Amino acid sequence: MRFYPLRVGCLLGVACFLSVSWIKSFPDDGATELQMLYKRLTVAEELGGKVSKDLSIILQQLGNMTRAVNVSHSWSNTSSSNTSSSSMAVTVKQPSDDLNRLPLRQVSIHLYMPHLWEHPNSLVPHVVLGKGRSGVSMVLGIPTVKREKQSYLVSTLSSLLSGLTSLERRDLLIIVFVAETDLQYVNSIAHTLSENFPKEVESGLLEVVSPSLHYYPDFNTLKETFGDSKDRVKWRTKQNLDYSFLMLYAQDKGTYYVQLEDDVFAKTGYYSDMKAFATQASSSEWLYLEFSQLGFIGKMFKTSDLPMIAEFFLMFHKDKPIDWLLDHILWVKVCNPEKDNKHCDLQKAMLKKRYKPSLFQHVGLHSSLPGKLQRLKDKDFEKQNLFQAHSNPPAEVKSSMKHYQQHSLERLYKGNDFMWALTPVQGDYILFSFPQPIHISGYLFRSGNSQAVGDKFYNTTMEVLPSNTTAAEKLLAGSATKYKQSDDDFIIIGEFYNGVAEGEINEDLQPISALRLVVHSDSDVWALLSEIHIKV
């Protein structure tokens, strides 16, 4: 209906044109009246064209006004405020023009790292090892890089995995982020971890991921700030990007996320302590929980907060170190610029909660920043027992390995010290001979301690000498047996895994005359035995 006046104007113009054409077709003999009529119709034609033009302009203006009102109404619908002025809003149908329905451009990581636009797959993680585990209570994130000196990664993982119960292993995910684009190095790390922790990789407990080749920007364009050298600015900027990548990867895999480093030692029972503290803190508001006072080690976050935290880090990844940025998030959330620093510190303290004693100790000496020595120690880390004493049955103990100083096998067996032996070689052994055959229900041998994390037994088997050889032979003859024959009538019943040998002894092998440990390959490190428990 709104185009009806325009149609009338057009029809009027056409009528005038036809009338004039008809009049001109008359002869010139002279009808004055027809000439007057011609002039009048000419004027009418001009007026009709003007009216048609004016109507077109008016309709165009009305259309523009309608679209403006619709856009304004659309904005008012998205507003959360519901004031009295909203009652004055005009209700207009949504425009049909798609151009008026374009949403605002969403903020993304590309805004802070524009170089990613050049490679569409630059944000796709390279999952080297993993089973896609999710839905766990706790995710541990461990970034690791190529170090010029010693690598602590295997020792760190051994510390984290040692002592976990089967239930805790199912409710935990450890993500190792190899923050390098050298695929050969990434694959070498994956191979090392697969060899050292095959069960954890197979079960999905341990994952290894790395960034794409195009994730990192050109670090040579960074500005030097806060008096830091160019190398340090590159190092801290890359660390910001590494932590952000790891957080974004872990955000949908569990309830809590814990940031660690690749050169730490974990206190026994850390998992249950952390989970209990997080459960206790769930009734109050917090941004993170602290389980170490050193830098970013042992910071726990809710995975629901990780997108916000990672975006903040990315927003300022070129400007400041990561621990400063974390403190700035607290400042933005709770500090009032009109009040003093004391008030600000009190408000920030409410969003972070500290657990004591610390559950993680920094053990690395050589920093990932080349040339930097890092002698950081957490003073709140509770001193760990270097050995665990048990009441073991009487036995004659013997070893082919030479012990260091007073740390002998005899002192460990009596519960007075740990055994620390020089580098084992193939064929070395530790033998426990009992005066009379005894019934042994189970055994536990633990190697390494907090001072010598990596000094463990590798490729070492547990073997027993049954007094009833006939029953032992029948057991070995079984098609489904897990036992193997060794020399001197000994039977292999287990082996060291991640520095620990633990198990039960089959009833058909009882009673036991002797028990021994046998090393099957040369070791690269010393061997420290911190616990012996022969269960009778």
Side-chain angles (χ1 to χ4, degrees), residues 456-472:
K456 298 180 179 181
F457 279 98
Y458 301 96
N459 196 14
T460 302
T461 56
M462 294 294 307
E463 303 179 4
V464 295
L465 178 63
S467 62
N468 188 344
T469 57
T470 303

Side-chain angles (χ1 to χ4, degrees), residues 3-186:
F3 293 103
Y4 180 74
L6 178 60
R7 295 176 180 175
V8 173
C10 293
L11 290 175
L12 181 59
V14 172
C16 292
F17 174 77
L18 293 175
S19 300
V20 171
S21 300
W22 175 72
I23 292 171
K24 287 183 177 181
S25 66
F26 277 84
D28 296 334
D29 45 359
T32 305
E33 294 176 357
L34 288 177
Q35 292 178 356
M36 293 294 296
L37 181 60
Y38 171 76
K39 292 180 180 179
R40 291 177 182 176
L41 289 175
T42 300
V43 173
E45 181 182 10
E46 294 176 353
L47 291 174
K50 183 177 181 181
V51 169
S52 177
K53 184 177 181 180
D54 291 342
L55 285 173
S56 298
I57 294 174
I58 292 172
L59 288 172
Q60 184 177 1
Q61 292 176 345
L62 287 173
N64 292 338
M65 292 172 62
T66 301
R67 284 191 290 269
V69 170
N70 281 337
V71 171
S72 175
H73 183 61
S74 176
W75 273 97
S76 66
N77 286 341
T78 62
S79 173
S80 60
S81 61
N82 190 16
T83 61
S84 60
S85 62
S86 64
S87 62
M88 301 298 292
V90 180
T91 303
V92 187
K93 292 182 179 179
Q94 293 291 331
S96 59
D97 192 347
D98 291 340
L99 294 177
N100 295 321
R101 296 187 178 187
L102 292 177
L104 291 177
R105 181 179 176 183
Q106 294 183 356
V107 177
S108 73
I109 188 175
H110 296 85
L111 181 63
Y112 317 118
M113 302 174 69
H115 71 281
L116 297 177
W117 285 113
E118 301 175 9
H119 304 280
N121 296 325
S122 54
L123 290 176
V124 178
H126 178 213
V127 181
V128 188
L129 298 174
K131 300 292 185 179
R133 178 180 288 200
S134 61
V136 299
S137 294
M138 198 180 304
V139 180
L140 307 183
I142 305 175
T144 187
V145 296
K146 188 185 299 183
R147 294 177 181 266
E148 292 183 349
K149 301 290 184 179
Q150 182 178 358
S151 174
Y152 308 93
L153 180 59
V154 172
S155 297
T156 295
L157 291 172
S158 297
S159 169
L160 293 170
L161 294 167
S162 178
L164 290 175
T165 66
S166 58
L167 180 61
E168 291 170 344
R169 285 173 171 264
R170 291 194 297 269
D171 198 32
L172 178 67
L173 172 63
I174 301 177
I175 303 172
V176 175
F177 175 61
V178 186
E180 300 287 351
T181 55
D182 180 354
L183 292 181
Q184 184 176 357
Y185 177 76
V186 172

Side-chain angles (χ1 to χ4, degrees), residues 217-462:
D218 182 5
F219 292 116
N220 293 318
T221 61
L222 296 171
K223 296 180 181 179
E224 297 177 25
T225 56
F226 303 108
D228 287 342
S229 66
K230 198 168 191 66
D231 286 340
R232 186 173 181 85
V233 172
K234 290 181 183 179
W235 174 77
R236 78 183 196 208
T237 300
K238 183 178 180 298
Q239 187 179 55
N240 290 339
L241 298 178
D242 293 344
Y243 281 38
S244 299
F245 190 102
L246 190 46
M247 287 181 172
L248 292 175
Y249 178 77
Q251 62 179 302
D252 58 352
K253 296 186 176 295
T255 304
Y256 302 109
Y257 172 81
V258 182
Q259 186 68 57
L260 294 174
E261 294 183 3
D262 64 351
D263 54 355
V264 299
F265 178 83
K267 178 186 175 185
T268 303
Y270 76 92
Y271 177 90
S272 57
D273 290 344
M274 294 174 75
K275 190 172 182 180
F277 190 66
T279 302
Q280 180 183 353
S282 61
S283 59
S284 59
E285 183 181 359
W286 52 272
L287 180 67
Y288 62 87
L289 306 179
E290 297 181 284
F291 296 93
S292 171
Q293 66 171 351
L294 296 179
F296 227 94
I297 297 174
K299 298 289 187 291
M300 175 187 280
F301 306 90
K302 299 171 215 172
T303 53
S304 57
D305 289 333
L306 292 182
M308 176 274 294
I309 296 171
E311 183 172 357
F312 192 91
F313 291 163
L314 291 170
M315 193 181 305
F316 302 104
H317 71 274
K318 295 182 290 186
D319 302 311
K320 291 186 176 182
I322 194 142
D323 48 344
W324 291 13
L325 293 179
L326 181 60
D327 184 71
H328 290 343
I329 295 178
L330 296 175
W331 193 96
V332 171
K333 278 183 166 290
V334 296
C335 290
N336 187 339
E338 297 179 355
K339 296 190 177 183
D340 58 16
N341 290 335
K342 183 177 180 180
H343 179 269
C344 179
D345 290 340
L346 290 174
Q347 294 300 309
K348 288 192 296 184
M350 297 175 66
L351 289 185
K352 56 181 180 179
K353 301 182 184 301
R354 178 86 164 85
Y355 179 90
K356 290 184 179 181
S358 297
L359 299 181
F360 302 97
Q361 178 63 285
H362 182 262
V363 296
L365 176 61
H366 300 281
S367 170
S368 56
L369 177 62
K372 179 185 177 184
L373 293 180
Q374 201 163 237
R375 296 182 174 89
L376 297 176
K377 293 297 178 184
D378 191 333
K379 296 180 180 179
D380 289 335
F381 184 76
E382 190 177 52
K383 187 175 181 180
Q384 301 290 291
N385 292 329
L386 300 180
F387 65 95
Q388 180 65 50
H390 291 284
S391 178
N392 291 306
E396 178 186 355
V397 297
K398 183 180 179 182
S399 175
S400 63
M401 292 174 279
K402 183 179 180 180
H403 62 265
Y404 174 67
Q405 294 182 352
Q406 77 278 9
H407 306 295
S408 65
L409 175 63
E410 291 80 3
R411 286 176 57 81
L412 169 63
Y413 197 72
K414 294 177 181 178
N416 298 325
D417 198 358
F418 55 87
M419 174 195 171
W420 205 359
L422 304 185
T423 310
V425 297
Q426 182 178 359
D428 274 339
Y429 65 90
I430 295 176
L431 176 65
F432 306 90
S433 300
F434 306 108
Q436 298 293 331
I438 61 173
H439 186 284
I440 301 176
S441 60
Y443 59 90
L444 169 63
F445 289 78
R446 189 184 307 277
S447 60
N449 62 20
S450 59
Q451 288 188 354
V453 179
D455 288 358
K456 298 180 179 181
F457 279 98
Y458 301 96
N459 196 14
T460 302
T461 56
M462 294 294 307

